[in-house]
């Protein structure tokens, strides 16, 4: 349906190849294995489920749509991954605060194209503790869209796949918590 729109398989495969094989941490390691991951605007949960299949320790799925939340839950149960996940019905641009252990090292944001929600969601997720300092954030927007700069986030790579543009950012807060 309209509420549940997975990232195209070619773009998803390319995105995960970059996450697994590029030196995104600056020390030769991938940010994915054993990571806490956030899948905001989760839709059917394809990105977060792919992260689990590639070694993520835990994924929090976030979507404001009841249909999407139901779909993610069904997919997790079918794949026997529910124990490694949390599914929240919440709006990424106005999320509930992260639990104490909720800061994620990797986040996927796939808002509806041309919605302008990505910058608001990045700022809000950082503000309420969902993103750990140094987190890699992967944002999908329409191929002809630009992502407005967000304080604390630096884009370091960008790829275009058909109608999609994938932007890789690093979250570096100006005043990280002690």
């Amino acid at each position: 349906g309209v509420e549940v729109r997975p990232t195209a398989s070619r773009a998803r495969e390319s995105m995960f190849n970059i996450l697994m094989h590029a030196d995104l941490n600056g020390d030769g390691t991938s940010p994915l294995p054993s990571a806490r991951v956030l899948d905001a605007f989760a839709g059917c949960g394809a990105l977060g489920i792919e992260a689990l299949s590639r070694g993520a320790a835990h994924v929090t799925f976030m979507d404001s749509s009841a249909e999407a939340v139901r779909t993610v839950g069904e997919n997790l149960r079918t794949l026997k991954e529910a124990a490694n996940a949390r599914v929240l019905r919440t709006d990424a641009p106005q999320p509930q605060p992260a639990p104490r252990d909720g800061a994620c090292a990797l986040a996927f944001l796939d808002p509806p194209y041309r919605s302008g929600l990505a910058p608001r969601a990045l700022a809000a997720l950082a503000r309420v503790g969902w993103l750990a300092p140094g987190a890699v954030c992967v944002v999908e927007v329409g191929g002809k869209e630009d992502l407005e700069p967000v304080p604390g986030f630096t884009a370091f790579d960008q790829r275009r796949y058909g109608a999609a543009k994938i932007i890789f950012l690093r979250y570096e807060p100006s005043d990280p918590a002690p």
Side-chain angles (χ1 to χ4, degrees):
V2 173
E3 298 287 329
V4 180
R5 0 157 237 93
T7 299
S9 59
R10 181 177 140 224
R12 188 172 61 242
E13 182 65 26
S14 296
M15 179 189 314
F16 278 96
N17 282 338
I18 292 167
L19 289 170
M20 293 298 292
H21 303 294
D23 184 12
L24 301 183
N25 288 336
D27 60 4
T29 66
S30 165
L32 188 54
S34 303
R36 295 188 67 78
V37 176
L38 175 64
D39 185 352
F41 303 98
C44 65
L47 295 173
I49 290 170
E50 181 85 11
L52 285 169
S53 77
R54 292 181 184 241
H58 184 272
V59 177
T60 298
F61 296 86
M62 198 180 275
D63 205 291
S64 61
S65 161
E67 178 187 356
V69 167
R70 188 173 38 259
T71 300
V72 171
E74 290 170 6
N75 290 340
L76 289 167
R77 284 186 293 281
T78 299
L79 297 169
K80 299 183 179 14
E81 288 286 2
N84 300 317
R86 178 183 304 144
V87 183
L88 301 175
R89 184 172 181 201
T90 190
D91 190 18
Q94 297 179 335
Q96 62 191 50
R100 179 169 270 174
D101 66 344
C104 297
L106 177 61
F108 298 104
L109 285 84
D110 183 11
Y113 290 176
R114 296 173 301 285
S115 68
L117 293 174
R120 289 184 17 221
L122 284 167
L125 292 166
R127 186 177 56 253
V128 299
W130 282 104
L131 303 176
V136 172
C137 300
V138 183
V139 179
E140 180 178 340
V141 295
K144 295 181 181 177
E145 283 184 76
D146 289 318
L147 180 66
E148 293 176 29
V150 180
F153 293 86
T154 303
F156 62 87
D157 197 354
Q158 177 174 291
R159 310 287 174 106
R160 189 163 173 190
Y161 303 98
K165 184 188 295 181
I166 309 294
I167 304 165
F168 293 82
L169 306 111
R170 184 165 316 277
Y171 172 57
E172 294 292 349
S174 57
D175 56 348

